[in-house]
Amino acid sequence: MEIVELPYNVEALSGKLAVPGDKSISHRSIMFGALAKGKTTVTNFLFGDDCISTMRIFQQLGVEIEVVEESIVIHGNGFDGLKEPKSILDVGNSGTTIRLLLGILAGRPFHSCIIGDESIAKRPMTRVTIPLQEMGAYIDGRQGGDLTPLSIRGGDLQGMTYQLPVASAQVKSAILLAGIQAQGETTVIEKERTRDHTERMIRHFGGVVESNDLTIRIPGEQTLVGTDVFVPGDISSAAFWLVAGAIVPNAKLTLKNVGLNETRTGIIEAMKKMGANITVSITTEPNYFEPIGNITVQSSTLKSTVIDGDIIPRLIDEIPVIALLATQAEGTTVIKDAEELKVKETNRIDTVVNELKKLGADIEATHDGMIIRGKTRLHGGCTVSSHGDHRIGMMLAIAALICQEGVKLEDTKSISISYPEFFNDMEKLIDQ
Ligand code: S3P
């Protein structure tokens, strides 16, 4: 396993950076391009391992997808253009791929077998398979269909009304992707508002979906039309630099072309509440299907906060790096209502708490979050691990920047899941 010595005790950060394309939107651009009729060109696509898994799977399903000068060109033939795959579909580490794929395959009249890596093999799937079975798909797998390997044979789906038991955009999206192929209308009622990239993309590809607060309605048997997609920069990747900019002394960073969809900007609100010096300017045309803008952050004097309730789904992937931020805030920060962290790429309550403790943080796990007491001087002088979780790896690399002694990071390969150029970008921002 590769071990990297991280930069530490960094005295200044500066510069402008365009973070890589949004992971959620990149996955969906391949999927919708494949399901639409005609050509779709995707620019600023995230060439991270997860999105490459999605691309390979749709190629296995018979869709012509090419990489042309850093863009992706997809020649979709509609839902009926998908063909029975001759081999197993491997989603790798990607929860978004497997859950949305199940929604798509639920409506396709053929058999597929789906596997993933060790982390995927532990992540719950009945949250998706139960509603899809209710709509008419045949799905089976380990432990009653909860775990991979899974097999699926799509059926003639019937629309339904479904109340989501968890706040999950992946589950919502899987049902919408089945609903768009079903007979009749499908209604999904969310527990809390989650990222709405699927709904926005359906409309961008000429489809119909109505959202009213927590209720989303989608008519069945729709046809989508290929289009162009510019993928905004990923706010979940920008999050690492936002926190770095706030906690490293003498820092001023600007992140360019970042997606500012309000279902994703919880981190900006939480950081501002903690006293972070952040400014945001929207740069997109008002009618582009996703809002985009620039964010500037500077070294800040931080205070503790409580993060709970309906902001959680709007910053769920940023909680590891927010926990680091809280170690540098005066007072006790409480993060609660975040039990979903336990079923991410790792149990992120445990991995965050255990790894930050090694660096000297005063942090404890609770049943649905964590409590962090600040401000602590992180000492470093040890080896930490990503545990194969990209966001844990990057959070630890940012933590090292403010450690007094050197830190070694084990298992850095996972970072290429969402941010292959992470260490190159870090080098650009550290003042020489
Ligand atoms: C995602 C939704 C979130 C998020 C994941 C990507 C998506 O998961 O954590 O990284 O693209 O829909 P849940 O919807 O399961 O919370």
Side-chain angles (χ1 to χ4, degrees), residues 325-346:
L325 183 77
T327 68
Q328 302 310 302
E330 216 51 69
T332 301
T333 294
V334 180
I335 300 173
K336 52 187 179 185
D337 304 323
E339 227 172 338
E340 274 295 300
L341 290 175
K342 293 180 180 169
V343 291
K344 294 295 176 191
E345 285 82 333
T346 55

Side-chain angles (χ1 to χ4, degrees), residues 23-24 28 96 99-100 127 167-171 173 195 316-317 340 344-345 391:
K23 184 156 78 69
S24 292
R28 286 162 173 82
T96 305
R99 299 207 175 100
L100 273 59
R127 53 178 59 196
S168 165
Q170 293 181 353
V171 181
S173 300
R195 63 191 69 191
I316 187 76
D317 291 341
E340 274 295 300
K344 294 295 176 191
E345 285 82 333
R391 299 201 199 282

Side-chain angles (χ1 to χ4, degrees), residues 131 134-135 158-164 175 184-189 215-217:
E134 220 174 287
M135 292 176 82
Q158 291 295 326
M160 67 163 180
T161 296
Y162 192 73
Q163 189 132 17
L164 292 182
I175 299 170
E185 190 178 80
T186 295
T187 303
V188 184
I189 303 155
T215 303
I216 302 129
R217 284 203 177 80

Side-chain angles (χ1 to χ4, degrees), residues 103-208:
I104 293 168
L105 295 178
R108 297 298 85 216
F110 53 71
H111 171 261
S112 313
C113 200
I114 310 175
I115 59 163
D117 70 4
E118 265 175 53
S119 156
I120 279 291
K122 293 185 208 142
R123 297 181 66 184
M125 296 299 148
T126 43
R127 53 178 59 196
V128 190
T129 56
I130 288 173
L132 295 177
Q133 283 163 332
E134 220 174 287
M135 292 176 82
Y138 298 93
I139 308 175
D140 205 351
R142 209 157 45 89
Q143 294 191 18
D146 194 27
L147 302 177
T148 57
L150 291 174
S151 73
I152 176 164
R153 180 175 291 280
D156 284 329
L157 302 179
Q158 291 295 326
M160 67 163 180
T161 296
Y162 192 73
Q163 189 132 17
L164 292 182
V166 281
S168 165
Q170 293 181 353
V171 181
K172 169 179 66 176
S173 300
I175 299 170
L176 292 177
L177 283 160
I180 201 170
Q181 306 174 69
Q183 279 178 17
E185 190 178 80
T186 295
T187 303
V188 184
I189 303 155
E190 293 204 84
K191 200 172 166 206
E192 265 147 15
R193 207 158 161 233
T194 64
R195 63 191 69 191
D196 65 353
H197 303 304
T198 299
E199 295 91 307
R200 285 170 185 257
M201 212 170 261
I202 288 170
R203 294 183 198 113
H204 189 61
F205 279 81
V208 176

